[in-house]
Amino acid sequence: FDSQRFGSVIGNDFIAKKLILKDYEGAVRIFLTRFTASESSKVKSDKKRIAATWGSLSEVKVETPALAAVIAEYARKKSWIDAYNKIDYNLREMYISAYNSFLWNECLKRFLILNLDKKKLYTIEYSLGNLLFYKNMTPDEIERLPKTFQTISDEMKPKDHEERIVSQVLSREGVSIPDFMIKKETGSFFKTHERNVIVRPAEFSISEPVLDELNDHGKKNVFK
């Protein structure tokens, strides 16, 4: 999973990890106070005001509706989990997906390190650190490798080639598989599915650059 999956992650703090750790105030605080460079000046101003007066959150007045709704819910119920659940559902699902994807990336890195000669590996930087890839593998090496690695959830039953890796990654994160059971409190849940560890590009080509019909600033794209 590349950087596009992690647009909701600011400062390497995952809202979903806060949920797993039952730190609901921490999850709400990230949502209400962290911002990216691309957000509007109004949103940035609101979030800075919230951060500066966190101890009096119920009294903070902001213009951004999505932020105001969360603050109002906390003011009514004095419950961090209720306040968190006022965040837009699609955003909350995005937070779960981001952390699940990050953990899978970390597991795959360990998987490659344990199964291949380090001389065949190389790293590429991305928004959350480094991704690990292989330079080449023989057909025999490819045949010996397990074909998939599961994403993590509370229902995951690690296979033999996954158990050690999952244990190492989760230990480093300070969480365990049972901790992923968050549906009752949040309405969201992590999903386990098989994901291929090797994907071979197929049926693609590169054309001559053509004008981008969606942006008329002279930029050109290449298409299949």
Side-chain angles (χ1 to χ4, degrees), residues 135-209:
K135 297 177 183 177
N136 56 70
M137 278 194 285
T138 66
D140 184 56
E141 286 175 320
I142 293 175
E143 185 62 31
R144 290 202 313 267
L145 281 181
K147 299 299 184 288
T148 63
F149 202 103
Q150 297 180 83
T151 56
I152 299 174
S153 78
D154 57 287
E155 296 183 347
M156 180 189 192
K157 295 179 175 55
K159 299 177 182 177
D160 289 344
H161 70 280
E162 298 169 335
E163 192 164 8
R164 173 185 174 189
I165 294 172
V166 170
S167 176
Q168 290 175 341
V169 169
L170 294 188
S171 176
R172 190 180 64 206
E173 288 291 301
V175 299
S176 63
I177 285 179
D179 295 333
F180 284 72
M181 189 180 297
I182 64 170
K183 185 175 181 179
K184 181 179 179 181
E185 294 84 3
T186 69
S188 300
F189 56 92
F190 289 83
K191 301 174 184 176
T192 286
H193 63 269
E194 303 277 355
R195 184 171 171 85
N196 291 337
V197 299
I198 296 176
V199 178
R200 298 185 181 187
E203 298 181 5
F204 76 95
S205 61
I206 299 177
S207 73
E208 290 297 320

Side-chain angles (χ1 to χ4, degrees), residues 118-136:
K118 291 184 180 180
K119 294 179 181 178
K120 294 192 172 187
L121 302 175
Y122 69 99
T123 59
I124 292 180
E125 290 187 9
Y126 81 124
S127 60
L128 296 177
N130 293 289
L131 298 171
L132 195 62
F133 294 91
Y134 64 89
K135 297 177 183 177
N136 56 70

Side-chain angles (χ1 to χ4, degrees), residues 23-57:
D23 180 9
Y24 304 126
E25 179 181 359
V28 173
R29 190 165 189 161
I30 292 173
F31 174 75
L32 290 178
T33 65
R34 300 286 182 87
F35 55 85
T36 63
S38 62
E39 290 184 273
S40 71
S41 58
K42 183 180 77 171
V43 171
K44 291 176 183 176
S45 177
D46 281 345
K47 289 188 174 183
K48 288 178 181 178
R49 187 180 305 114
I50 294 168
T53 56
W54 187 256
S56 304
L57 181 63

